[in-house]
Amino acid sequence: MPLLSVSNLTTRFYTREGVTNAVENVNFSIDEGELLGIVGESGSGKSVACYSLLGLVPCPPGKIESGEALFDGKDLLKIGERALRDIRGNSISMIFQDPMTSLNPYMRIGDQLTEAYRQHKKSSKTEALSRAIASLEEVGIRDAEKRINAYPHEFSGGMRQRVMIAMALISEPRLLIADEPTTALDVTVQAQILELLKNLQEKRKLSIIFISHDLAVVSNIANRVLVMKQGEVVEQGEVAQIFNAPTHEYTKKLISAIPASGKPAEHKFASSSDKLLSVENLYTRFNLQSGSFFNRKNEKLTAVNNVSLDIYKGEILGLVGESGSGKSTLGRSIIRLIEADSGSVRLGDQNIRSLSPSDLRKARLQFQMIFQDPFASLNPRMTVFDALAEPLITHKLIDEKNLIQTINELLDDVGLERKYVRKYPHEFSGGQRQRIAIARALALRPKLIIADEPVSALDVTIQAQILELMLSLSKKHNLTMLFISHDLAVVRYICDRVMVMQSGCIVEQGETETLFNSPQEAYTQSLLAAIPQIPSATG
């Protein structure tokens, strides 16, 4: 008998725009000790289906219309809020996607762990604290007895995710729901978290529902897979069957969208001796304060440590490394979004670091940045037209009578329909917003674009579209790009050369295929070894 059996689950959202069928007649089950993967694009209903089981769908606008969810003989959809509260966080726990927004920034880690445990187990403070320390040790946090008094911001992304896992497991649940728990993590940290979950599952005979849009990750951890599209289950089965012999066209489309090869031949970079960007001996340091209020200590963190690099006209140079390696700081230091301490940055014949503020403003015509989160980088009060028109008007590049035509051509370039020009950012999907951000970066026809994790938060199909778009635009406009990412499969697909960064230093660099096939440094080898591979790719 399954631990959880879901039948005919239907959840709808009633909004001013109409009714959305978020989950439509969904059926699935999970046995004790099994790991079930649920995959699909954003909006496919993966998270809503699981949130519905725990009463976490906001009502209004959400409403569970019908269905049955039997857990341990009880129907989760009908037992009422009080009984559900006893199960939620006790027998069934959840790990959310972003630990920084899920953890309370004002509470110490220990207090957040013991709060849930004492709520469900009615234990003493001492017992709860002892259990919290044991939970942190179990998920691989060293010096747990000392770290338990830290605040969330004092942990790295991977450490915070471990804290979330410890919090979910502290009450020893029978079922764990993990909602995109590794999306924003580096490949090495992701591999550690996946191994941790797998070990805990085997050790505790734990049942896990693992929600993700990353099919390679799911293929490495799940026993069975459920594929969802627009609220419906379109296919489900054993991992080997789903990934080696999918039957539904949508599943085939998802699998084919995973980057699994090098840069397409038609987009290969023709060797050039014409340098566009030259960086020499760049250092960027940050001031850090530690100690108590009365014994404050100032320390220096070297984020970029004596980095030198060249990028040639028309080339896409990849920059990879774990979080905290200095990738983004280097990219921002190059275009002076962060001021470096020393070193030189030359774009063509201009020394960027020596420019006055007014000259720097003029020079920004030549370089632009695409940020990781387009929703944060686009002004929510500006329409697409306003967002694209602003840089053109600010730099006086175009007269008013040609403005609309120029903006329409930008939309054509990035594959957005012209009718969307008066819409606001919140009216678009993540992939569409990233297209708008790319159009804005292209508006000034820059010589250099720095793309900082531009596809890390996107579904595989949307990611594939954006990568193809960036390659075609690079070819059309002869763009030169520094492409920063922790996703090595993406870097292999789009970049001509790759530089590997660790602790602020460049530790290895080379032609993309050469570096991927014959990495020399142990750090590069560990990064490449951590890339998840789907079964069909590994045989």
Side-chain angles (χ1 to χ4, degrees):
M1 184 176 174
L3 177 65
L4 172 69
S5 179
V6 178
S7 307
N8 306 314
L9 177 63
T10 297
T11 302
R12 297 194 173 102
F13 287 89
Y14 293 84
T15 67
R16 286 175 294 180
E17 285 76 32
V19 180
T20 300
N21 296 329
V23 177
E24 189 71 20
N25 199 34
V26 164
N27 297 276
F28 69 88
S29 63
I30 181 169
D31 294 329
E32 196 163 349
E34 184 182 25
L35 202 154
L36 173 70
I38 303 182
V39 301
E41 297 170 292
S42 293
S44 62
K46 311 184 297 292
S47 298
V48 175
C50 292
Y51 286 15
S52 298
L53 306 178
L54 297 178
L56 297 176
V57 173
C59 179
K63 183 181 179 185
I64 299 172
E65 299 284 6
S66 62
E68 183 180 72
L70 293 177
F71 176 78
D72 222 13
K74 299 174 183 175
D75 188 349
L76 299 175
L77 306 182
K78 296 183 174 63
I79 59 175
E81 178 58 30
R82 182 182 292 273
L84 192 59
R85 197 181 298 126
D86 290 337
I87 291 174
R88 190 171 54 218
N90 189 21
S91 301
I92 304 176
S93 287
M94 192 152 193
I95 304 169
F96 295 94
Q97 180 173 351
D98 184 1
M100 197 57 187
T101 56
S102 302
L103 294 168
N104 189 328
Y106 297 103
M107 288 178 69
R108 296 181 190 275
I109 293 298
D111 294 333
Q112 297 189 58
L113 285 166
T114 56
E115 181 182 48
Y117 186 78
R118 295 191 70 199
Q119 175 70 31
H120 290 290
K121 302 300 183 183
K122 310 299 181 191
S123 70
S124 66
K125 268 188 178 182
T126 304
E127 182 188 345
L129 184 61
S130 175
R131 184 73 189 89
I133 292 169
S135 293
L136 288 180
E137 288 172 344
E138 188 176 26
V139 298
I141 291 180
R142 297 174 185 173
D143 298 321
E145 207 164 338
K146 295 177 183 176
R147 302 303 302 274
I148 201 159
N149 291 316
Y151 288 93
H153 72 271
E154 297 178 279
F155 285 84
S156 67
M159 294 279 276
R160 284 195 292 266
Q161 197 60 282
R162 289 172 186 266
V163 170
M164 285 298 297
I165 295 171
M167 188 178 295
L169 296 179
I170 192 170
S171 58
E172 299 185 347
R174 299 176 65 192
L175 173 63
L176 177 67
I177 300 174
D179 187 10
E180 301 274 13
T182 62
T183 296
L185 302 178
D186 305 317
V187 284
T188 48
V189 179
Q190 174 179 269
Q192 293 167 15
I193 296 297
L194 294 177
E195 185 179 3
L196 170 64
L197 285 172
K198 197 71 177 172
N199 290 341
L200 289 171
Q201 180 211 6
E202 293 170 0
K203 178 182 174 183
R204 294 191 178 194
K205 300 296 181 190
L206 184 67
S207 301
I208 300 177
I209 297 176
F210 192 95
I211 304 167
S212 181
H213 66 252
D214 191 327
L215 278 76
V217 165
V218 170
S219 73
N220 278 251
I221 195 171
N223 306 117
R224 284 190 305 118
V225 180
L226 197 76
V227 184
M228 290 188 70
K229 178 189 178 185
Q230 295 177 348
E232 299 181 354
V233 176
V234 296
E235 188 167 1
Q236 58 179 304
E238 299 295 318
V239 166
Q241 180 263 307
I242 291 292
F243 287 96
N244 292 323
T247 57
H248 198 279
E249 287 303 314
Y250 179 68
T251 310
K252 295 175 184 176
K253 175 185 167 187
L254 289 178
I255 294 171
S256 66
I258 301 170
S261 62
K263 194 169 185 177
E266 65 271 23
H267 293 292
K268 290 281 186 185
F269 172 64
S271 295
S272 168
S273 58
D274 193 0
K275 284 182 193 175
L276 176 69
L277 179 73
S278 183
V279 177
E280 293 183 5
N281 309 119
L282 196 69
Y283 284 88
T284 302
R285 299 181 179 91
F286 295 114
N287 289 318
L288 295 180
Q289 291 186 335
S290 61
S292 66
F293 181 80
F294 297 104
N295 189 25
R296 189 70 44 94
K297 296 177 183 176
N298 291 315
E299 299 174 8
K300 286 273 190 181
L301 170 68
T302 303
V304 176
N305 190 355
N306 196 28
V307 167
S308 298
L309 63 89
D310 296 318
I311 308 181
Y312 297 86
K313 283 185 179 176
E315 182 184 31
I316 300 179
L317 175 65
L319 184 62
V320 302
E322 296 172 297
S323 291
S325 62
K327 306 186 302 293
S328 295
T329 302
L330 173 58
R332 292 171 189 229
S333 297
I334 288 171
I335 60 174
R336 287 184 62 181
L337 290 180
I338 294 173
E339 290 291 349
D341 288 78
S342 62
S344 74
V345 178
R346 300 195 72 86
L347 185 67
D349 57 0
Q350 275 192 314
N351 187 341
I352 302 299
R353 290 207 59 238
S354 66
L355 294 176
S356 66
S358 60
D359 288 338
L360 178 61
R361 201 172 299 115
K362 293 173 188 172
R364 290 199 184 281
L365 279 166
Q366 300 178 53
F367 47 84
Q368 291 291 302
M369 191 154 190
I370 302 169
F371 295 93
Q372 179 174 353
D373 183 358
F375 198 64
S377 59
L378 293 170
N379 189 328
R381 294 184 176 88
M382 295 175 75
T383 63
V384 172
F385 179 88
D386 296 331
L388 299 183
E390 184 184 44
L392 294 168
I393 293 169
T394 300
H395 289 280
K396 300 182 174 63
L397 290 184
I398 199 160
D399 55 52
E400 199 167 328
K401 67 178 182 179
N402 294 320
L403 187 59
I404 293 175
Q405 179 59 30
T406 302
I407 288 172
N408 283 337
E409 288 171 0
L410 282 169
L411 292 177
D412 293 342
D413 270 352
V414 298
L416 280 176
E417 292 186 49
R418 294 182 176 189
K419 65 182 181 181
Y420 294 153
V421 76
R422 297 295 176 185
K423 286 191 170 187
Y424 290 88
H426 73 272
E427 297 179 274
F428 293 93
S429 68
Q432 287 174 321
R433 284 196 290 266
Q434 197 58 283
R435 287 172 186 266
I436 296 166
I438 293 171
R440 184 175 164 90
L442 288 174
L444 300 177
R445 296 288 180 247
K447 294 178 181 177
L448 172 70
I449 286 181
I450 294 181
D452 189 6
E453 301 276 12
V455 296
S456 65
L458 302 178
D459 302 318
V460 284
T461 50
I462 305 300
Q463 174 181 274
Q465 293 169 18
I466 296 298
L467 292 176
E468 193 59 41
L469 170 66
M470 294 179 84
L471 283 176
S472 62
L473 289 174
S474 176
K475 188 175 182 179
K476 178 179 178 180
H477 298 296
N478 195 32
L479 290 174
T480 306
M481 195 180 304
L482 178 63
F483 190 93
I484 301 167
S485 181
H486 66 252
D487 190 327
L488 279 81
V490 165
V491 167
R492 185 175 193 176
Y493 180 77
I494 199 172
C495 296
D496 303 294
R497 282 190 303 128
V498 180
M499 301 184 78
V500 183
M501 201 166 182
Q502 181 187 27
S503 303
C505 301
I506 303 297
V507 296
E508 188 168 359
Q509 59 181 300
E511 299 291 326
T512 302
E513 287 307 303
T514 302
L515 188 137
F516 271 75
N517 292 323
S518 304
Q520 300 302 304
E521 295 293 322
Y523 178 68
T524 309
Q525 292 166 6
S526 70
L527 288 178
L528 295 174
I531 302 174
Q533 302 286 338
I534 61 172
S536 57
T538 58

